[in-house]
Amino acid sequence: TFCPVPWNFQAIQNNGCVRVCCQMNSTEERGTLFKDDKIPYNARIDDLSEARNASLIKDVRASMLNGEWHKSCQRCQSEEESGLSSRRLYELRNWPEHTFDWAKNITTLDGTLDIDKSPLVYYDLRFGNMCNLACRMCGPEDSHTWYKDHVALEGPEFPDTHGVVKLEKNEKGRWTTDHYDWHKSYKFWDQLESNLKNIQHVYMAGGEPLMIERHYEFLQKCLDANVAKNIILEYNTNLTNVPQRVLDMWLEFKEVRIGASIDGYGEILEYQRYPAKWSAIEKNLRKIDELPSNVTAWIACTVTTANVFHLPDFMIWKLEQNFKKINAFKNKPIITHHVAHRPWPSCLRVLPEYFKKKIENYYEQKKLEFDCYDKTVVKEANRILDSVVKYMNGKDEQQHKKWFIEFTTDLDKLRNQDISKVVPQYEDLFSNPGKYYTTKE
């Protein structure tokens, strides 16, 4: 159960709250680190070194050192049990020197870390929630483009880890809030700059990092301090816009890893990652494929109720492109996938049994189309499809059918979309859900 993340890492959420790991987002506390007064640590105002020994992260360390799965780590646990490649396994490959024995030697029995013996070398920085897309797997806490639709569907308030966020209209009539402006804090920047010499790896998501000015400010600080050559940058980006200035800056860093958040091609991509345009994303994907050798890239595909039938065709499409750089890995030659655990409309486990079986049978038929490729590809294609099915069948969440049917229908109306046209397999399900769902609310 060991993972180096609770020892060498610090994650700052879109709202500035500090958490153990983004994989904990589907758990009750969402991985948030709280002070003794039950107020979350926030990068806007708090000493970030104190957060490294908050009660939750200490408890997670103690569980790991006892060889136990902590309840907050259930996402990695369920993914590994389904045959998926979890964040934990990824980080073990990233940090081979940060072993179980290393962690045990600098940690007390209750999980308290000697922070002087383990400086922060790894950050997850999310500079607010500015994003040009309103993806169906996200919400207003992840993207300000979601505000308008959220107000129409749920009202002007929504909960986040630091409390309830209330949206208000500005002078231009746009919904807005200052809850995600934590990165304007001088206290945060002073703490980060004082640790620049120790940083080895920075993961950046959003919002959309390539359109957030603070992201560029951070890169420039690394360049000015002459530490860029020591740092691996890792991104989760929707790839809708790749400006030349970031390409120029990337040349100075030790390595740049790009996880391109692309869940399909054509209308499926445009449906799931509204209002993206596939033509622009495909163009930028090919631009990334031509970058210098210090840049590696992969397709980070989120498998949801919307694209689950599309997944095999998307994998075949990727193989047909003969990319030089993208997913040019022996162990992951096709795509890098994960499944949506939340929100419920995107989670495969809300589907009725009839459709779960339909997906399973469909995947068995589509596997035959990979037989023309080499053995590595065939094995990986089978592993991907089998892991999705295993996760989907791992737990029945049909009690959340209202979210899937009603929320999807209402959002479709707002966005002038129709899931039945994009995913024709669902036409009868959305016309007559009572025919397939037998569980009560």
Side-chain angles (χ1 to χ4, degrees), residues 197-211:
K197 65 181 182 300
N198 291 316
I199 298 176
Q200 298 178 36
H201 195 132
V202 181
Y203 172 77
M204 282 177 283
E208 168 48 42
L210 298 187
M211 66 177 288

Side-chain angles (χ1 to χ4, degrees), residues 221-433:
K221 287 182 183 296
C222 294
L223 293 171
D224 293 343
N226 197 31
V227 297
K229 61 182 181 296
N230 306 323
I231 296 175
I232 296 172
L233 298 177
E234 183 174 346
Y235 290 87
N236 189 293
T237 168
N238 62 37
L239 226 60
T240 54
N241 184 39
V242 185
Q244 185 60 44
R245 67 166 169 164
V246 79
L247 299 180
D248 295 337
M249 297 173 96
W250 283 348
L251 293 174
E252 306 300 321
F253 283 81
K254 178 181 179 180
E255 187 181 343
V256 180
R257 301 175 182 175
I258 300 172
S261 297
I262 300 174
D263 315 317
Y265 60 83
E267 62 180 1
I268 285 285
L269 182 282
E270 294 178 348
Y271 178 84
Q272 181 147 301
R273 294 192 177 267
Y274 173 88
K277 298 300 180 186
W278 168 242
S279 57
I281 291 174
E282 184 180 18
K283 181 180 178 181
N284 286 327
L285 195 60
R286 299 190 187 284
K287 180 188 293 187
I288 294 295
D289 199 46
E290 299 296 332
L291 292 180
S293 60
N294 74 318
V295 178
T296 57
W298 60 88
I299 292 174
C301 174
T302 304
V303 185
T304 72
T305 49
N307 70 346
V308 63
F309 283 100
H310 176 70
L311 180 61
D313 288 333
F314 180 45
M315 292 161 61
I316 291 170
W317 173 87
K318 188 273 172 186
L319 291 168
E320 291 175 345
Q321 306 312 303
N322 294 316
F323 290 123
K324 299 188 293 287
K325 183 183 296 290
I326 297 163
N327 276 94
F329 313 118
K330 289 183 179 179
N331 61 329
K332 291 191 177 182
I334 313 177
I335 60 171
T336 305
H337 76 300
H338 60 279
V339 293
H341 293 245
R342 299 287 189 281
W344 289 118
S346 294
C347 180
L348 300 175
R349 290 176 169 176
V350 305
L351 292 171
E353 289 302 318
Y354 173 85
F355 281 88
K356 290 180 180 179
K357 192 65 179 177
K358 189 173 184 177
I359 291 165
E360 187 173 354
N361 292 338
Y362 181 65
Y363 280 9
E364 287 302 317
Q365 296 172 19
K366 297 297 288 188
K367 284 179 182 180
L368 299 175
E369 298 186 28
F370 291 92
D371 286 346
C372 60
Y373 297 97
D374 65 46
K375 291 181 180 179
T376 301
V377 169
V378 173
K379 183 179 179 180
E380 179 64 3
N382 289 340
R383 185 193 71 83
I384 290 171
L385 298 177
D386 288 344
S387 67
V388 170
V389 169
K390 190 172 182 179
Y391 172 80
M392 177 179 66
N393 292 331
K395 188 176 181 181
D396 188 346
E397 298 284 5
Q398 291 184 65
Q399 70 270 24
H400 299 290
K401 64 182 180 182
K402 181 177 180 180
W403 279 103
F404 179 48
I405 300 297
E406 296 186 17
F407 187 87
T408 300
T409 301
D410 291 343
L411 188 59
D412 279 356
K413 289 178 181 177
L414 283 176
R415 296 181 174 182
N416 195 28
Q417 294 180 312
D418 186 348
I419 192 171
S420 297
K421 292 181 178 178
V422 179
V423 191
Q425 293 91 337
Y426 288 152
E427 185 174 1
D428 193 41
L429 173 61
F430 276 79
S431 298
N432 187 14

